[in-house]
Amino acid sequence: MASGSGTHILALPFPLQGHINPMLQLCKTLITKGIRVTLVTTVFISSSLQIQASTTSNLINIETIPDAATTTSEGDVYQVFINNFKETITQGLPRLIEKHKQSSYPAKAIVYDSVLPWTLDIAHQLGLKGAVLFTQPCTVCSIFYHMKQGTLKIPNEDEGSDIMLPAMPPLKLKDLPSLIYDIGAYTALFNLLIDQFSTYRDADWRLFNTFDKLEDEILKWITSEGPILTIGPTIPPLHTDDIEYGLSLFKPDAEAYLKWLETKENGSVVYVSFGSLVTPGEKQMEEIARGLVESNCFFLWVVRASEESKLPPDFVLEKGLIVNWCSQLQVLAHPAVGCFVTHCGWNSTLEALSFGVPMVAMAQWTDQTTTAKLIADVWQIGVRTKADENDFVTREEIAGSVREIMQEERGNEIRRNASKWKQLAKEAVSEGGSSHKNITEFVIQLSGS
Ligand code: UDX
């Protein structure tokens, strides 16, 4: 019998694709262990969510909170989004919890995204326990933790000296999350990431979407600040029978691209995607386009509808295919795919790692710059593109990086490392593996709480 039978929990993801996916997969894994899950979001967000072909996601009960009437339009676009989401949830979540208390399945706990730390206070006030889920690498979270504690000293850009932090490799300035060395217009996002730790010590569980061997040293260090549970990688086919996460804010193109992949030889296609948020400038888009052509490889490139107008007008797709959105899991699992040009979003990175696909790490911002460092220098499962002082990457650099993986000797070494990490990721979530044990332990504790 499933160990968590009957226990009901709520789950509150931050409403961006890169945060919804790991939360959703955790929920589905918990469902397979007998936990009853209600995913909470706003009416506005739920109207954009598409249900994908998936088995266990059908078992998730979704409950919506009406959007707050007192929304604000003050501040930058991120500040407005963050404030309005917080306003809606702080008004609606207590009512939802109270309503559940009257039902036959009152919720015992809430799993919430680490960028919504104030959720813990609401939960505790109403007698629920709180589990915080970190959806970025533990290395990145630890860097923000040091920022919050004031133990990270930022050198001048031209100093070029190493930044030494406990349990981390020596880091250069541009290996830090970009918001630390180039906050630009993103003060709201910077504060969101720093504030993740405002209720860290009071959380009943701290869950990280990573696995023991992947970030071993830093995980040991963070454990010295309080116990944690690693539960990753939260990639659907590793945990459940699903080929999709289950809910998407984007509608995938018709599946012609999968048929196109079928016509290609194993390992011959470069898959290119920059996730759900990144918006490269027009000049950078042109360099990516020209670089892919110059590499002379087949390529499948996700260009979101909002970015399409940035493609060069004379761009001819002889060996390439462009889609607005795809099933990335199915693409990465396809044997035709030989490398992934990625912005190094944490989900994309864990997905490529779990399917053993080597990466060209072309980080754009936030946590991605640190993840690129890990991909290239620590795990050695990809190459990192070199950028100029304005973070611009040339077509020659892109083509050269792709060829390094697809055609040169270094590519063989990277592929061997990628197979090793694929195996280790699988072991972590398999019976007896570290993440598997931690999820089982979490279910036992939830059921007993
Ligand atoms: C954001 C941040 O940018 C990222 O750095 C952070 O780690 C998580 O939140 P995003 O930029 O969207 O996420 O990147 P990523 O984490 O890679 O998540 C994108 C998700 O969308 C992946 O799970 C990927 O499989 C999915 N995806 C992407 C698709 O399903 N289809 C696509 O065509 C492209």
Side-chain angles (χ1 to χ4, degrees):
M1 180 170 157
S3 50
S5 285
T7 302
H8 181 200
I9 64 155
L10 307 178
L12 179 65
F14 188 56
L16 294 176
Q17 196 66 56
H19 292 249
I20 292 172
N21 285 356
M23 180 67 84
L24 196 60
Q25 188 50 39
L26 172 63
C27 292
K28 291 190 290 174
T29 308
L30 294 176
I31 287 173
T32 63
K33 295 183 181 296
I35 298 281
R36 203 182 166 94
V37 181
T38 296
L39 190 96
V40 180
T41 192
T42 68
V43 169
F44 175 71
I45 296 296
S46 89
S47 66
S48 316
L49 280 174
Q50 330 251 343
I51 297 185
Q52 301 166 305
S54 171
T55 47
T56 34
S57 61
N58 298 336
L59 301 171
I60 298 185
N61 174 34
I62 301 180
E63 279 204 47
T64 53
I65 292 178
D67 293 80
T70 52
T71 53
T72 165
S73 53
E74 270 171 40
D76 64 60
V77 59
Y78 289 105
Q79 192 68 66
V80 169
F81 182 74
I82 292 163
N83 287 352
N84 289 340
F85 187 73
K86 182 174 179 182
E87 184 69 13
T88 297
I89 298 298
T90 47
Q91 282 184 25
L93 185 60
R95 275 185 232 133
L96 191 140
I97 293 173
E98 291 295 356
K99 184 186 89 181
H100 278 272
K101 278 191 180 162
Q102 314 306 323
S103 75
S104 348
Y105 296 99
K108 279 188 164 180
I110 183 162
V111 184
Y112 60 94
D113 193 294
S114 59
V115 300
L116 311 171
W118 35 265
T119 309
L120 186 67
D121 298 329
I122 301 176
H124 280 174
Q125 275 160 21
L126 294 166
L128 267 64
K129 292 203 166 180
V132 55
L133 173 63
F134 286 85
T135 62
Q136 294 193 336
C138 185
T139 308
V140 169
C141 299
S142 307
I143 293 172
F144 280 110
Y145 186 83
H146 285 294
M147 279 299 283
K148 173 108 183 145
Q149 306 286 92
T151 46
L152 169 57
K153 299 280 169 270
I154 312 291
N156 287 330
E157 195 161 346
D158 44 354
E159 244 179 66
S161 53
D162 286 338
I163 300 159
M164 305 302 290
L165 289 170
M168 284 193 209
L171 299 171
K172 298 287 182 205
L173 187 67
K174 291 212 167 177
D175 297 330
L176 295 174
S178 73
L179 297 180
I180 293 181
Y181 62 81
D182 181 18
I183 193 163
Y186 303 116
T187 311
L189 287 183
F190 177 81
N191 290 336
L192 189 79
L193 292 164
I194 293 285
D195 283 350
Q196 292 180 98
F197 299 98
S198 55
T199 57
Y200 185 79
R201 285 176 189 277
D202 299 325
D204 299 286
W205 299 274
R206 303 173 197 99
L207 313 177
F208 280 82
N209 185 17
T210 186
F211 59 97
D212 58 348
K213 294 206 166 76
L214 191 62
E215 297 187 273
D216 52 354
E217 292 297 318
I218 198 69
L219 285 167
K220 280 183 206 135
W221 179 82
I222 204 140
T223 303
S224 67
E225 302 292 297
I228 62 151
L229 293 171
T230 52
I231 50 98
T234 55
I235 312 299
L238 294 190
H239 294 266
T240 49
D241 295 336
D242 301 338
I243 49 164
E244 305 285 1
Y245 286 96
L247 292 174
S248 180
L249 293 166
F250 298 82
K251 189 174 176 333
D253 286 32
E255 289 181 358
Y257 62 89
L258 290 174
K259 297 209 173 74
W260 181 84
L261 282 179
E262 288 301 324
T263 66
K264 303 292 174 277
E265 283 179 20
N266 284 0
S268 67
V269 176
V270 180
Y271 171 58
V272 189
S273 165
F274 289 84
S276 65
L277 286 176
V278 157
T279 54
E282 220 164 274
K283 280 186 166 245
Q284 188 61 81
M285 285 290 273
E286 168 153 26
E287 292 305 295
I288 299 169
R290 306 286 183 221
L292 289 172
V293 171
E294 205 175 302
S295 77
N296 202 25
C297 295
F298 291 108
F299 64 89
L300 171 63
W301 184 7
V302 178
V303 179
R304 298 192 313 278
S306 58
E307 306 303 297
E308 243 178 336
S309 63
K310 295 178 185 170
L311 287 168
D314 61 343
F315 187 43
V316 184
L317 282 168
E318 274 174 20
K319 295 186 82 173
L321 188 65
I322 289 184
V323 291
N324 290 145
W325 194 257
C326 70
S327 165
Q328 183 160 299
L329 293 174
Q330 289 188 59
V331 169
L332 288 173
H334 201 287
V337 172
C339 114
F340 181 13
V341 179
T342 173
H343 69 312
C344 310
W346 188 228
N347 298 288
S348 293
T349 302
L350 285 177
E351 290 161 11
L353 184 141
S354 301
F355 289 114
V357 179
M359 287 171 263
V360 170
M362 200 173 148
Q364 302 293 297
W365 70 325
T366 69
D367 56 331
Q368 299 154 15
T369 35
T370 308
T371 305
K373 162 82 180 165
L374 299 173
I375 290 170
D377 296 345
V378 178
W379 309 318
Q380 302 191 18
I381 52 177
V383 295
R384 183 177 182 183
T385 52
K386 290 184 190 60
D388 70 11
E389 64 279 7
N390 300 315
D391 297 325
F392 184 76
V393 184
T394 62
R395 64 190 72 183
E396 293 80 17
E397 176 67 14
I398 294 166
S401 303
V402 167
R403 280 198 297 261
E404 198 174 341
I405 288 190
M406 298 293 274
Q407 291 155 15
E408 293 169 17
E409 181 49 34
R410 173 88 179 115
N412 292 331
E413 197 184 322
I414 288 174
R415 264 183 291 283
R416 278 194 293 278
N417 289 336
S419 315
K420 182 190 93 178
W421 282 108
K422 173 183 175 177
Q423 184 56 29
L424 292 172
K426 195 165 172 224
E427 279 170 24
V429 294
S430 302
E431 186 91 39
S434 53
S435 296
H436 189 274
K437 279 191 199 153
N438 287 341
I439 293 169
T440 308
E441 182 57 32
F442 182 46
V443 169
I444 292 170
Q445 291 183 16
L446 275 175
S447 314
S449 62

mmCIF file of all heavy atoms in Angstrom, residues 108-127:
data_model
loop_
_atom_site.group_PDB
_atom_site.id
_atom_site.type_symbol
_atom_site.label_atom_id
_atom_site.label_comp_id
_atom_site.label_asym_id
_atom_site.label_seq_id
_atom_site.Cartn_x
_atom_site.Cartn_y
_atom_site.Cartn_z
ATOM 1 N N LYS A 108 -2.532 19.042 5.312
ATOM 2 C CA LYS A 108 -1.604 19.006 6.449
ATOM 3 C C LYS A 108 -0.411 19.917 6.237
ATOM 4 O O LYS A 108 0.233 20.337 7.189
ATOM 5 C CB LYS A 108 -1.063 17.577 6.620
ATOM 6 C CG LYS A 108 -1.974 16.637 7.354
ATOM 7 C CD LYS A 108 -1.207 15.353 7.606
ATOM 8 C CE LYS A 108 -1.879 14.497 8.652
ATOM 9 N NZ LYS A 108 -1.121 13.268 8.882
ATOM 10 N N ALA A 109 -0.077 20.138 4.971
ATOM 11 C CA ALA A 109 1.155 20.896 4.706
ATOM 12 C C ALA A 109 1.038 21.578 3.352
ATOM 13 O O ALA A 109 0.145 21.261 2.557
ATOM 14 C CB ALA A 109 2.352 19.940 4.697
ATOM 15 N N ILE A 110 1.941 22.523 3.127
ATOM 16 C CA ILE A 110 2.005 23.149 1.807
ATOM 17 C C ILE A 110 3.456 23.109 1.323
ATOM 18 O O ILE A 110 4.385 23.365 2.099
ATOM 19 C CB ILE A 110 1.447 24.599 1.827
ATOM 20 C CG1 ILE A 110 1.467 25.196 0.418
ATOM 21 C CG2 ILE A 110 2.170 25.502 2.799
ATOM 22 C CD1 ILE A 110 0.564 26.411 0.250
ATOM 23 N N VAL A 111 3.639 22.725 0.051
ATOM 24 C CA VAL A 111 4.952 22.821 -0.576
ATOM 25 C C VAL A 111 4.921 24.095 -1.403
ATOM 26 O O VAL A 111 4.037 24.269 -2.240
ATOM 27 C CB VAL A 111 5.246 21.612 -1.503
ATOM 28 C CG1 VAL A 111 6.663 21.703 -2.060
ATOM 29 C CG2 VAL A 111 5.057 20.294 -0.776
ATOM 30 N N TYR A 112 5.849 25.004 -1.164
ATOM 31 C CA TYR A 112 5.829 26.302 -1.848
ATOM 32 C C TYR A 112 7.179 26.608 -2.464
ATOM 33 O O TYR A 112 8.216 26.137 -1.999
ATOM 34 C CB TYR A 112 5.397 27.428 -0.882
ATOM 35 C CG TYR A 112 6.316 27.576 0.305
ATOM 36 C CD1 TYR A 112 7.373 28.483 0.288
ATOM 37 C CD2 TYR A 112 6.146 26.785 1.445
ATOM 38 C CE1 TYR A 112 8.237 28.600 1.366
ATOM 39 C CE2 TYR A 112 6.999 26.898 2.518
ATOM 40 C CZ TYR A 112 8.049 27.804 2.479
ATOM 41 O OH TYR A 112 8.917 27.896 3.541
ATOM 42 N N ASP A 113 7.143 27.399 -3.534
ATOM 43 C CA ASP A 113 8.376 27.780 -4.216
ATOM 44 C C ASP A 113 9.214 28.680 -3.304
ATOM 45 O O ASP A 113 8.676 29.547 -2.594
ATOM 46 C CB ASP A 113 8.030 28.540 -5.507
ATOM 47 C CG ASP A 113 9.231 28.680 -6.425
ATOM 48 O OD1 ASP A 113 10.204 29.381 -6.057
ATOM 49 O OD2 ASP A 113 9.204 28.109 -7.517
ATOM 50 N N SER A 114 10.530 28.510 -3.385
ATOM 51 C CA SER A 114 11.421 29.263 -2.488
ATOM 52 C C SER A 114 11.315 30.777 -2.680
ATOM 53 O O SER A 114 11.653 31.530 -1.767
ATOM 54 C CB SER A 114 12.868 28.830 -2.708
ATOM 55 O OG SER A 114 13.231 29.068 -4.052
ATOM 56 N N VAL A 115 10.837 31.228 -3.849
ATOM 57 C CA VAL A 115 10.723 32.688 -4.030
ATOM 58 C C VAL A 115 9.413 33.231 -3.445
ATOM 59 O O VAL A 115 9.116 34.414 -3.587
ATOM 60 C CB VAL A 115 10.894 33.115 -5.520
ATOM 61 C CG1 VAL A 115 12.261 32.709 -6.042
ATOM 62 C CG2 VAL A 115 9.783 32.582 -6.392
ATOM 63 N N LEU A 116 8.653 32.367 -2.775
ATOM 64 C CA LEU A 116 7.417 32.801 -2.102
ATOM 65 C C LEU A 116 7.526 32.510 -0.599
ATOM 66 O O LEU A 116 6.685 31.818 -0.017
ATOM 67 C CB LEU A 116 6.206 32.054 -2.696
ATOM 68 C CG LEU A 116 6.102 32.048 -4.235
ATOM 69 C CD1 LEU A 116 5.000 31.105 -4.707
ATOM 70 C CD2 LEU A 116 5.851 33.459 -4.749
ATOM 71 N N PRO A 117 8.591 33.017 0.057
ATOM 72 C CA PRO A 117 8.885 32.584 1.432
ATOM 73 C C PRO A 117 7.811 32.971 2.440
ATOM 74 O O PRO A 117 7.673 32.326 3.476
ATOM 75 C CB PRO A 117 10.203 33.300 1.754
ATOM 76 C CG PRO A 117 10.238 34.484 0.847
ATOM 77 C CD PRO A 117 9.513 34.067 -0.403
ATOM 78 N N TRP A 118 7.026 34.017 2.125
ATOM 79 C CA TRP A 118 5.968 34.471 3.031
ATOM 80 C C TRP A 118 4.829 33.451 3.149
ATOM 81 O O TRP A 118 4.008 33.523 4.057
ATOM 82 C CB TRP A 118 5.417 35.824 2.554
ATOM 83 C CG TRP A 118 5.386 35.958 1.058
ATOM 84 C CD1 TRP A 118 6.333 36.533 0.270
ATOM 85 C CD2 TRP A 118 4.376 35.445 0.166
ATOM 86 N NE1 TRP A 118 5.982 36.430 -1.061
ATOM 87 C CE2 TRP A 118 4.784 35.771 -1.155
ATOM 88 C CE3 TRP A 118 3.178 34.753 0.326
ATOM 89 C CZ2 TRP A 118 4.037 35.421 -2.284
ATOM 90 C CZ3 TRP A 118 2.437 34.408 -0.789
ATOM 91 C CH2 TRP A 118 2.877 34.742 -2.068
ATOM 92 N N THR A 119 4.802 32.470 2.240
ATOM 93 C CA THR A 119 3.790 31.403 2.315
ATOM 94 C C THR A 119 3.898 30.660 3.643
ATOM 95 O O THR A 119 2.890 30.210 4.202
ATOM 96 C CB THR A 119 3.996 30.390 1.156
ATOM 97 O OG1 THR A 119 4.076 31.118 -0.056
ATOM 98 C CG2 THR A 119 2.886 29.375 1.079
ATOM 99 N N LEU A 120 5.143 30.531 4.137
ATOM 100 C CA LEU A 120 5.362 29.760 5.370
ATOM 101 C C LEU A 120 4.603 30.377 6.546
ATOM 102 O O LEU A 120 4.008 29.652 7.348
ATOM 103 C CB LEU A 120 6.862 29.682 5.687
ATOM 104 C CG LEU A 120 7.213 28.775 6.859
ATOM 105 C CD1 LEU A 120 6.930 27.312 6.518
ATOM 106 C CD2 LEU A 120 8.673 28.935 7.261
ATOM 107 N N ASP A 121 4.605 31.703 6.626
ATOM 108 C CA ASP A 121 3.908 32.364 7.745
ATOM 109 C C ASP A 121 2.406 32.076 7.675
ATOM 110 O O ASP A 121 1.766 31.800 8.694
ATOM 111 C CB ASP A 121 4.158 33.883 7.706
ATOM 112 C CG ASP A 121 5.627 34.204 7.857
ATOM 113 O OD1 ASP A 121 6.315 33.427 8.543
ATOM 114 O OD2 ASP A 121 6.096 35.190 7.261
ATOM 115 N N ILE A 122 1.852 32.145 6.474
ATOM 116 C CA ILE A 122 0.411 31.862 6.315
ATOM 117 C C ILE A 122 0.131 30.430 6.767
ATOM 118 O O ILE A 122 -0.804 30.160 7.523
ATOM 119 C CB ILE A 122 -0.031 32.048 4.843
ATOM 120 C CG1 ILE A 122 0.247 33.471 4.359
ATOM 121 C CG2 ILE A 122 -1.505 31.664 4.653
ATOM 122 C CD1 ILE A 122 -0.074 33.721 2.888
ATOM 123 N N ALA A 123 0.979 29.509 6.301
ATOM 124 C CA ALA A 123 0.776 28.089 6.633
ATOM 125 C C ALA A 123 0.832 27.884 8.146
ATOM 126 O O ALA A 123 -0.075 27.282 8.735
ATOM 127 C CB ALA A 123 1.832 27.248 5.926
ATOM 128 N N HIS A 124 1.902 28.394 8.766
ATOM 129 C CA HIS A 124 2.077 28.168 10.206
ATOM 130 C C HIS A 124 0.941 28.785 11.023
ATOM 131 O O HIS A 124 0.450 28.184 11.969
ATOM 132 C CB HIS A 124 3.437 28.713 10.664
ATOM 133 C CG HIS A 124 4.566 27.775 10.340
ATOM 134 N ND1 HIS A 124 5.888 28.087 10.530
ATOM 135 C CD2 HIS A 124 4.573 26.506 9.829
ATOM 136 C CE1 HIS A 124 6.656 27.070 10.160
ATOM 137 N NE2 HIS A 124 5.876 26.102 9.723
ATOM 138 N N GLN A 125 0.516 29.990 10.610
ATOM 139 C CA GLN A 125 -0.588 30.636 11.356
ATOM 140 C C GLN A 125 -1.856 29.790 11.319
ATOM 141 O O GLN A 125 -2.669 29.820 12.233
ATOM 142 C CB GLN A 125 -0.890 32.009 10.761
ATOM 143 C CG GLN A 125 0.016 33.099 11.316
ATOM 144 C CD GLN A 125 0.063 34.319 10.414
ATOM 145 O OE1 GLN A 125 -0.839 34.526 9.602
ATOM 146 N NE2 GLN A 125 1.113 35.106 10.542
ATOM 147 N N LEU A 126 -2.025 29.028 10.230
ATOM 148 C CA LEU A 126 -3.259 28.238 10.091
ATOM 149 C C LEU A 126 -3.044 26.761 10.426
ATOM 150 O O LEU A 126 -3.860 25.907 10.088
ATOM 151 C CB LEU A 126 -3.814 28.397 8.668
ATOM 152 C CG LEU A 126 -4.284 29.839 8.385
ATOM 153 C CD1 LEU A 126 -4.502 30.072 6.914
ATOM 154 C CD2 LEU A 126 -5.567 30.137 9.164
ATOM 155 N N GLY A 127 -1.902 26.467 11.035
ATOM 156 C CA GLY A 127 -1.671 25.109 11.543
ATOM 157 C C GLY A 127 -1.152 24.117 10.513
ATOM 158 O O GLY A 127 -1.172 22.906 10.743
#
